[in-house]
């Protein structure tokens, strides 16, 4: 993602659960201690479902929104999807917002 | 407003017209050269309506959203309402978001 979509990102951040997910992904080992896989690939969607305490489909929609906005990256390993923060986009967003506001 | 409401502010910023208004209010003299009153009080709502090119009621709703979020201040002078940016809240929001994200 070379340019950021400010609109898409602000909308993605407008839900507190999505901000929580981004926050938890800062420190996967502490926030998701039950994950059996290494957190090198990121955090498995099942772990995020559990941490949110919401249905799989709801969390899946939140993750899709974050992913579409470029705030997280996903990687499929075997049958699992793993998610990480996209620090470049997050930083570019903060920089842009700081200038625009 | 001593503490900022992150949720309310992000929702207020989620509409490009509201971000435009905040932006124009950075430089009232340049952005609203037709205003007859001094811009010391801020910018008159009628000027903002014109600049947006939207109906008075639509702009009024946008201004109310920005005001509720604490991003702008309003002042009634005579029969007119004037609006200014609330720089303290804007800065506090950027600081909080930078830490939270």
């Amino acid at each position: 993602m070379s340019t950021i979509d400010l609109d898409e990102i602000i909308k993605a951040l407008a839900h507190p659960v999505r901000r929580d997910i981004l926050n938890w992904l800062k420190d996967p080992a502490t926030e998701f201690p039950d994950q059996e896989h290494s957190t090198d690939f990121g955090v498995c969607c099942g772990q995020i479902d559990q941490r949110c305490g919401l249905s799989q489909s709801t969390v899946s929609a939140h993750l899709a929104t974050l992913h579409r906005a470029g705030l997280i990256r996903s990687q499929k390993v075997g049958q699992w999807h793993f998610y990480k923060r996209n620090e470049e986009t997050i930083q570019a967003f903060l920089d842009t917002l700081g200038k625009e506001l």
Side-chain angles (χ1 to χ4, degrees), chain A:
Chain A
M1 193 168 176
S2 55
T3 55
I4 62 160
D5 185 334
L6 205 59
D7 238 37
E8 196 84 53
I9 293 179
I10 294 177
K11 280 176 192 153
L13 295 176
H15 196 297
V17 166
R18 293 195 287 265
R19 296 202 303 274
D20 283 343
I21 294 173
L22 276 183
N23 232 310
W24 297 331
L25 291 178
K26 271 187 192 171
D27 186 4
T30 306
E31 298 290 346
F32 302 94
D34 297 339
Q35 173 159 311
E36 289 174 15
H37 297 83
S38 153
T39 53
D40 288 352
F41 297 123
V43 176
C44 184
C45 49
Q47 291 287 320
I48 302 174
D49 295 345
Q50 272 183 32
R51 187 79 165 78
C52 289
L54 297 168
S55 75
Q56 193 184 339
S57 63
T58 302
V59 177
S60 176
H62 284 317
L63 289 170
T65 302
L66 287 169
H67 190 252
R68 209 166 41 238
L71 294 167
I72 56 173
R73 298 175 195 275
S74 78
Q75 192 177 354
K76 197 174 176 209
V77 182
Q79 59 185 305
W80 293 282
H81 283 94
F82 291 83
Y83 295 90
K84 308 189 147 179
R85 287 162 58 92
N86 184 344
E87 300 293 353
E88 292 78 9
T89 300
I90 293 170
Q91 196 50 56
F93 162 70
L94 288 171
D95 293 347
T96 304
L97 195 68
K99 275 177 219 147
E100 170 157 334
L101 288 189

